[in-house]
Amino acid sequence: AQKITQTQPGMFVQEKEAVTLDCTYDTSDQSYGLFWYKQPSSGEMIFLIYQGSYDEQNATEGRYSLNFQKARKSANLVVSASQLGDSAMYFCAMRRRGDMRFGAGTRLTVKP
Amino acid sequence: SQTIHQWPATLVQPVGSPLSLECTVEGTSNPNLYWYRQAAGRGLQLLFYSVGIGQISSEVPQNLSASRPQDRQFILSSKKLLLSDSGFYLCAWSARDRVKNIQYFGAGTRLSVL
């Protein structure tokens, strides 16, 4: 069964610093996709970044980058130059054969 | 551009009452559609997904049902709500892109069953 693990219930980061949010996954499939979503207090899930299992380069989208280590089955999100508006829940997700599974989430708090 | 609408934003319903949550997508055709539920402080649980009109797959047995009467309309229903149905319900869509299949979410409906 596919499983997504986010071991950090909460993380704090100083404004303008970088922070890494951890995500590990478990699958025996070779083809899968990894996603990160941001959920602010309003509740909407906002897509941040995608990494395909066959992508050789780490994905980047603006201040977000995904540190993909396939052999270790980890897909950590790096948020650089943190802003106060980055404070939110962050969810890692994996899609395998059309089935999407989410981790429990990490609450990121950016301190001024 | 594509947009997804969900309503209502909040809903308070008594136990045993019916439920109907609606989700519509604009700016795309033949989307995959999804209903998720999020319990307080938890991740998302997939309830239903649909790849076309009238085609519904259920992930979790429960007293909820889903229907897709039109290509871009997805409805979540219940005949009799339970206390355990309280939660945050999110609708999502994705394009028929087999490579990425990125799901885009609506603003959600916060349901309280009392």
Side-chain angles (χ1 to χ4, degrees):
Chain A
Q2 64 187 76
K3 185 178 177 182
I4 311 297
T5 303
Q6 294 181 254
T7 58
Q8 307 154 316
M11 288 287 285
F12 291 88
V13 64
Q14 206 66 37
E15 193 177 7
K16 300 181 185 178
E17 300 287 313
V19 63
T20 298
L21 306 183
D22 295 341
C23 173
T24 58
Y25 59 92
D26 185 19
T27 183
S28 56
D29 280 15
Q30 296 301 309
S31 178
Y32 51 89
L34 297 159
F35 305 77
W36 277 92
Y37 286 85
K38 171 185 177 182
Q39 187 179 40
S41 57
S42 61
E44 183 178 359
M45 294 284 284
I46 302 168
F47 166 73
L48 295 178
I49 196 166
Y50 165 85
Q51 178 86 41
S53 59
Y54 292 116
D55 295 340
E56 294 185 354
Q57 294 205 340
N58 288 340
T60 60
E61 289 285 351
R63 294 187 297 110
Y64 304 106
S65 60
L66 201 152
N67 184 1
F68 180 45
Q69 298 186 45
K70 193 170 182 177
R72 298 180 62 180
K73 293 186 177 178
S74 74
N76 300 338
L77 177 71
V78 180
V79 182
S80 61
S82 296
Q83 302 172 357
L84 295 178
D86 293 335
S87 293
M89 284 290 291
Y90 288 78
F91 290 94
C92 178
M94 178 173 68
R95 177 191 51 77
R96 179 186 67 96
R97 302 179 199 171
D99 183 20
M100 184 90 105
R101 302 287 173 176
F102 287 79
T106 296
R107 181 171 297 281
L108 176 66
T109 303
V110 180
K111 295 182 174 180
Chain B
S1 64
Q2 301 88 3
T3 56
I4 179 168
H5 302 280
Q6 246 189 278
W7 66 93
T10 59
L11 191 60
V12 180
Q13 291 284 99
V15 170
S17 64
L19 173 73
S20 180
L21 303 181
E22 191 162 340
C23 171
T24 60
V25 182
E26 295 178 358
T28 187
S29 57
N30 299 318
N32 297 323
L33 296 171
Y34 311 84
W35 277 112
Y36 288 88
R37 177 169 58 201
Q38 184 179 28
R42 305 286 297 276
L44 273 67
Q45 178 188 38
L46 179 64
L47 300 176
F48 301 95
Y49 69 92
S50 171
V51 298
I53 296 174
Q55 300 179 61
I56 310 294
S57 295
S58 173
E59 288 292 304
V60 181
Q62 61 228 320
N63 70 320
L64 299 172
S65 62
S67 62
R68 186 170 176 173
Q70 300 179 41
D71 180 47
R72 290 170 290 177
Q73 184 184 28
F74 206 23
I75 297 171
L76 183 69
S77 303
S78 174
K79 293 182 179 178
K80 287 186 178 182
L81 284 169
L82 307 173
L83 288 174
S84 57
D85 291 324
S86 294
F88 190 56
Y89 289 83
L90 287 154
C91 180
W93 74 274
S94 67
R96 299 292 177 88
D97 177 349
R98 293 187 178 183
V99 177
K100 292 187 177 181
N101 199 22
I102 296 170
Q103 294 185 19
Y104 298 95
F105 287 80
T109 295
R110 201 165 299 279
L111 172 65
S112 297
V113 182
L114 305 176

